[in-house]
Amino acid sequence: MRARDRTSSSFAGVLYTPPFNGTLLAGITRDSALTIADDLGMRVREQAMPRESLYPADQISLAGTASEVTPVRSLDRLRIGSGKRGAVTETVQQPYLDVARGAAPQMRGWLTYVRCASG
């Protein structure tokens, strides 16, 4: 089984993510998370990631519309890293959440404010 929906896994400070190969959606959240990582100077590598290769990861995170950027504590009942959100995940997650919630300066015009009709 391949890790299709994993946004990223961290091994020794390198952020790995599966490439687009027909099983991974080219989502806005994933792209935003990877853009933030790149802006912060993180090394990002796209490569195929069989599920078994994730077990020794320092940390794993998922990205998606509903989950935003979320740490993974375990995979197949095996603890990932310390079992808590890792530093790499936090470093990407916090700026993403700040921008998404309008609590940070606009990044590349990522937010579009919509006026609410009164009444």
Side-chain angles (χ1 to χ4, degrees):
M1 175 180 283
R2 293 185 145 326
R4 292 182 252 270
D5 57 351
R6 301 290 182 271
T7 296
S8 63
S9 298
S10 172
F11 295 89
V14 178
L15 198 65
Y16 291 88
T17 187
F20 296 118
N21 60 7
T23 60
L24 180 69
L25 293 174
I28 294 169
T29 306
R30 176 185 185 270
D31 183 61
S32 299
L34 294 177
T35 298
I36 289 168
D38 185 60
D39 286 351
L40 294 171
M42 293 182 182
R43 293 180 294 161
V44 177
R45 286 188 57 188
E46 285 190 321
Q47 71 177 47
M49 296 175 6
R51 186 180 191 97
E52 315 72 58
S53 73
L54 299 174
Y55 297 148
D58 300 324
Q59 53 198 297
I60 298 174
S61 61
L62 302 176
T65 302
S67 63
E68 297 176 322
V69 177
T70 303
V72 174
R73 294 171 40 143
S74 65
L75 178 63
D76 296 336
R77 298 187 178 151
L78 298 172
R79 187 173 71 185
I80 301 299
S82 68
K84 299 179 181 176
R85 177 177 65 174
V88 173
T89 299
E90 182 176 7
T91 299
V92 173
Q93 183 187 44
Q94 197 56 58
Y96 174 83
L97 293 174
D98 289 347
V99 171
R101 295 177 179 154
Q106 281 268 69
M107 291 183 64
R108 299 176 179 77
W110 285 358
L111 295 181
T112 301
Y113 294 96
V114 178
R115 289 179 55 125
C116 185
S118 61

